[in-house]
């Protein structure tokens, strides 16, 4: 990989994960509703069942894609930060990405442990992970917008246009 952009595969995986995470955040109540129905011995209707099961399936898909993304990144690398980048911003960007990757991998593990094994501690960890995920997603998005509109770098363009 050159130091100027991401591959088509890296871009596709990035945006696919982003879309799936947004879906999970918007429809997260489905799993809670299904859990409440099952706990209370109430037969869930089709919508509750579908939304609850979808949350589990999408979480596992995100897990697989996140692991795959890490392997692709290790193999293909990532572009260097802009030459004029403030070293503090470089560190913040790296930490943000590390935390996002970690949370994207740990959330499906904690969610699965909570759902399939009934682990209450895993459920609490999953809920903490949700807040970390939202917080660091906002930081990630604000960083990309700051790079694009204020610093006028190509950082955002690299994630929408594959390298040639």
């Amino acid at each position: 990989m050159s130091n100027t952009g991401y591959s088509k595969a890296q871009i596709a995986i990035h945006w696919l994960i982003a879309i799936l995470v947004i879906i999970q955040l918007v429809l997260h109540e489905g799993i809670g509703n299904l859990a409440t129905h099952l706990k209370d011995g109430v037969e869930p209707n089709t919508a509750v069942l579908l939304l609850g099961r979808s949350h589990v399936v999408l979480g596992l898909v995100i897990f697989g894609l996140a692991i795959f993304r890490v392997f692709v990144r290790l193999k293909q690398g990532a572009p260097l930060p802009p030459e004029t980048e403030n070293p503090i911003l470089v560190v913040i960007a790296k930490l943000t990405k590390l935390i996002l990757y970690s949370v994207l991998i740990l959330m499906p593990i904690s969610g699965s442990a909570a759902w399939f094994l009934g682990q209450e501690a895993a459920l609490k960890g999953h809920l903490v992970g949700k807040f970390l995920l939202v917080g660091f997603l906002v930081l990630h998005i604000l960083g990309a917008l700051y790079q694009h509109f204020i610093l006028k770098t190509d950082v955002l363009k690299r994630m929408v246009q594959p390298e040639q």
Side-chain angles (χ1 to χ4, degrees):
M1 160 174 267
S2 77
N3 293 327
T4 60
Y6 289 99
S7 69
K8 288 180 184 179
Q10 288 172 306
I11 293 170
I13 297 165
H14 175 272
W15 291 110
L16 182 56
I17 290 173
I19 290 166
L20 293 176
V21 166
I22 290 168
I23 291 169
Q24 289 290 70
L25 291 171
V26 170
L27 301 177
H28 74 278
E29 289 184 21
I31 192 72
N33 291 339
L34 180 56
T36 300
H37 278 72
L38 295 175
K39 184 178 124 188
D40 294 344
V42 175
E43 184 70 29
N45 63 35
T46 304
V48 169
L49 202 55
L50 179 64
L51 287 172
R53 287 183 176 169
S54 295
H55 187 82
V56 173
V57 170
L58 289 179
L60 294 173
V61 170
I62 290 170
F63 176 76
L65 287 170
I67 295 290
F68 182 62
R69 179 153 187 215
V70 169
F71 283 116
V72 171
R73 184 178 175 114
L74 290 172
K75 183 177 182 200
Q76 295 182 353
L80 295 173
E83 290 180 18
T84 59
E85 186 79 291
N86 182 316
I88 293 172
L89 292 179
V90 173
V91 171
I92 291 170
K94 286 183 180 188
L95 286 174
T96 299
K97 289 175 190 169
L98 176 65
I99 291 169
L100 282 173
Y101 283 124
S102 299
V103 172
L104 287 172
I105 291 168
L106 292 173
M107 288 232 12
I109 293 170
S110 63
S112 293
W115 184 254
F116 295 114
L117 304 175
Q119 296 293 315
E120 192 68 28
L123 178 59
K124 290 178 183 174
H126 192 70
L127 295 174
V128 169
K130 176 184 165 188
F131 288 107
L132 285 172
L133 180 63
V134 170
F136 281 93
L137 279 176
V138 168
L139 182 62
H140 181 64
I141 292 166
L142 289 175
L145 294 174
Y146 178 75
Q147 286 283 342
H148 186 76
F149 291 110
I150 306 297
L151 299 179
K152 308 277 190 216
T153 68
D154 68 344
V155 168
L156 182 60
K157 289 179 186 173
R158 296 187 303 197
M159 195 43 81
V160 294
Q161 296 174 344
E163 69 174 341
Q164 300 300 325

